[in-house]
PDB file of all heavy atoms in Angstrom:
ATOM      1  N   ILE B 173     116.418  92.098  92.818  1.00  0.00           N
ATOM      2  CA  ILE B 173     117.444  91.058  92.693  1.00  0.00           C
ATOM      3  C   ILE B 173     116.847  89.696  93.048  1.00  0.00           C
ATOM      4  O   ILE B 173     117.020  88.713  92.310  1.00  0.00           O
ATOM      5  CB  ILE B 173     118.649  91.388  93.603  1.00  0.00           C
ATOM      6  CG1 ILE B 173     119.389  92.622  93.074  1.00  0.00           C
ATOM      7  CG2 ILE B 173     119.597  90.195  93.696  1.00  0.00           C
ATOM      8  CD1 ILE B 173     120.384  93.199  94.073  1.00  0.00           C
ATOM      9  N   ASN B 174     116.140  89.626  94.167  1.00  0.00           N
ATOM     10  CA  ASN B 174     115.519  88.359  94.567  1.00  0.00           C
ATOM     11  C   ASN B 174     114.500  87.890  93.528  1.00  0.00           C
ATOM     12  O   ASN B 174     114.415  86.694  93.219  1.00  0.00           O
ATOM     13  CB  ASN B 174     114.834  88.515  95.923  1.00  0.00           C
ATOM     14  CG  ASN B 174     115.819  88.510  97.080  1.00  0.00           C
ATOM     15  OD1 ASN B 174     116.972  88.129  96.925  1.00  0.00           O
ATOM     16  ND2 ASN B 174     115.372  88.942  98.244  1.00  0.00           N
ATOM     17  N   ALA B 175     113.714  88.831  92.999  1.00  0.00           N
ATOM     18  CA  ALA B 175     112.694  88.459  92.017  1.00  0.00           C
ATOM     19  C   ALA B 175     113.319  87.943  90.723  1.00  0.00           C
ATOM     20  O   ALA B 175     112.714  87.126  90.022  1.00  0.00           O
ATOM     21  CB  ALA B 175     111.785  89.649  91.727  1.00  0.00           C
ATOM     22  N   ALA B 176     114.521  88.394  90.401  1.00  0.00           N
ATOM     23  CA  ALA B 176     115.193  87.902  89.192  1.00  0.00           C
ATOM     24  C   ALA B 176     115.456  86.408  89.284  1.00  0.00           C
ATOM     25  O   ALA B 176     115.509  85.708  88.262  1.00  0.00           O
ATOM     26  CB  ALA B 176     116.504  88.672  88.979  1.00  0.00           C
ATOM     27  N   ILE B 177     115.629  85.888  90.499  1.00  0.00           N
ATOM     28  CA  ILE B 177     115.818  84.446  90.678  1.00  0.00           C
ATOM     29  C   ILE B 177     114.558  83.694  90.273  1.00  0.00           C
ATOM     30  O   ILE B 177     114.617  82.650  89.619  1.00  0.00           O
ATOM     31  CB  ILE B 177     116.170  84.137  92.153  1.00  0.00           C
ATOM     32  CG1 ILE B 177     117.475  84.821  92.566  1.00  0.00           C
ATOM     33  CG2 ILE B 177     116.245  82.628  92.381  1.00  0.00           C
ATOM     34  CD1 ILE B 177     117.777  84.712  94.064  1.00  0.00           C
ATOM     35  N   LEU B 178     113.403  84.229  90.643  1.00  0.00           N
ATOM     36  CA  LEU B 178     112.143  83.524  90.440  1.00  0.00           C
ATOM     37  C   LEU B 178     111.537  83.758  89.059  1.00  0.00           C
ATOM     38  O   LEU B 178     110.871  82.867  88.522  1.00  0.00           O
ATOM     39  CB  LEU B 178     111.130  83.961  91.501  1.00  0.00           C
ATOM     40  CG  LEU B 178     111.533  83.715  92.958  1.00  0.00           C
ATOM     41  CD1 LEU B 178     110.426  84.190  93.892  1.00  0.00           C
ATOM     42  CD2 LEU B 178     111.838  82.255  93.205  1.00  0.00           C
ATOM     43  N   PHE B 179     111.763  84.944  88.483  1.00  0.00           N
ATOM     44  CA  PHE B 179     111.093  85.291  87.230  1.00  0.00           C
ATOM     45  C   PHE B 179     112.015  85.283  86.014  1.00  0.00           C
ATOM     46  O   PHE B 179     111.534  85.338  84.883  1.00  0.00           O
ATOM     47  CB  PHE B 179     110.407  86.650  87.369  1.00  0.00           C
ATOM     48  CG  PHE B 179     109.244  86.632  88.321  1.00  0.00           C
ATOM     49  CD1 PHE B 179     109.402  87.026  89.644  1.00  0.00           C
ATOM     50  CD2 PHE B 179     107.993  86.187  87.912  1.00  0.00           C
ATOM     51  CE1 PHE B 179     108.340  86.992  90.538  1.00  0.00           C
ATOM     52  CE2 PHE B 179     106.928  86.154  88.788  1.00  0.00           C
ATOM     53  CZ  PHE B 179     107.099  86.551  90.101  1.00  0.00           C
ATOM     54  N   GLY B 180     113.309  85.230  86.212  1.00  0.00           N
ATOM     55  CA  GLY B 180     114.228  84.956  85.125  1.00  0.00           C
ATOM     56  C   GLY B 180     114.630  86.102  84.239  1.00  0.00           C
ATOM     57  O   GLY B 180     115.402  85.913  83.281  1.00  0.00           O
ATOM     58  N   TYR B 181     114.154  87.320  84.497  1.00  0.00           N
ATOM     59  CA  TYR B 181     114.555  88.446  83.641  1.00  0.00           C
ATOM     60  C   TYR B 181     116.019  88.813  83.883  1.00  0.00           C
ATOM     61  O   TYR B 181     116.597  88.501  84.934  1.00  0.00           O
ATOM     62  CB  TYR B 181     113.651  89.659  83.895  1.00  0.00           C
ATOM     63  CG  TYR B 181     113.542  90.082  85.345  1.00  0.00           C
ATOM     64  CD1 TYR B 181     114.546  90.823  85.962  1.00  0.00           C
ATOM     65  CD2 TYR B 181     112.424  89.750  86.106  1.00  0.00           C
ATOM     66  CE1 TYR B 181     114.456  91.214  87.280  1.00  0.00           C
ATOM     67  CE2 TYR B 181     112.317  90.130  87.434  1.00  0.00           C
ATOM     68  CZ  TYR B 181     113.337  90.860  88.021  1.00  0.00           C
ATOM     69  OH  TYR B 181     113.249  91.239  89.336  1.00  0.00           O
ATOM     70  N   GLU B 182     116.603  89.478  82.900  1.00  0.00           N
ATOM     71  CA  GLU B 182     117.945  90.031  83.075  1.00  0.00           C
ATOM     72  C   GLU B 182     117.830  91.342  83.834  1.00  0.00           C
ATOM     73  O   GLU B 182     117.030  92.203  83.475  1.00  0.00           O
ATOM     74  CB  GLU B 182     118.618  90.274  81.726  1.00  0.00           C
ATOM     75  CG  GLU B 182     120.008  90.887  81.850  1.00  0.00           C
ATOM     76  CD  GLU B 182     120.616  91.295  80.520  1.00  0.00           C
ATOM     77  OE1 GLU B 182     119.929  91.170  79.490  1.00  0.00           O
ATOM     78  OE2 GLU B 182     121.777  91.769  80.522  1.00  0.00           O
ATOM     79  N   LEU B 183     118.614  91.499  84.876  1.00  0.00           N
ATOM     80  CA  LEU B 183     118.591  92.712  85.686  1.00  0.00           C
ATOM     81  C   LEU B 183     119.974  93.341  85.692  1.00  0.00           C
ATOM     82  O   LEU B 183     120.956  92.701  86.071  1.00  0.00           O
ATOM     83  CB  LEU B 183     118.169  92.382  87.126  1.00  0.00           C
ATOM     84  CG  LEU B 183     118.189  93.540  88.124  1.00  0.00           C
ATOM     85  CD1 LEU B 183     117.154  94.603  87.756  1.00  0.00           C
ATOM     86  CD2 LEU B 183     117.942  93.028  89.552  1.00  0.00           C
ATOM     87  N   VAL B 184     120.049  94.599  85.260  1.00  0.00           N
ATOM     88  CA  VAL B 184     121.298  95.353  85.309  1.00  0.00           C
ATOM     89  C   VAL B 184     121.071  96.556  86.216  1.00  0.00           C
ATOM     90  O   VAL B 184     120.182  97.380  85.965  1.00  0.00           O
ATOM     91  CB  VAL B 184     121.762  95.800  83.916  1.00  0.00           C
ATOM     92  CG1 VAL B 184     123.108  96.518  84.020  1.00  0.00           C
ATOM     93  CG2 VAL B 184     121.880  94.599  82.980  1.00  0.00           C
ATOM     94  N   LEU B 185     121.855  96.632  87.280  1.00  0.00           N
ATOM     95  CA  LEU B 185     121.720  97.710  88.253  1.00  0.00           C
ATOM     96  C   LEU B 185     122.850  98.714  88.074  1.00  0.00           C
ATOM     97  O   LEU B 185     124.026  98.329  88.058  1.00  0.00           O
ATOM     98  CB  LEU B 185     121.757  97.161  89.676  1.00  0.00           C
ATOM     99  CG  LEU B 185     120.739  96.076  90.025  1.00  0.00           C
ATOM    100  CD1 LEU B 185     121.431  94.704  90.071  1.00  0.00           C
ATOM    101  CD2 LEU B 185     120.059  96.362  91.357  1.00  0.00           C
TER     102      LEU B 185
END
Side-chain angles (χ1 to χ4, degrees):
I173 291 167
N174 283 345
I177 299 172
L178 301 180
F179 292 96
Y181 53 79
E182 178 187 4
L183 176 65
V184 183
L185 304 104

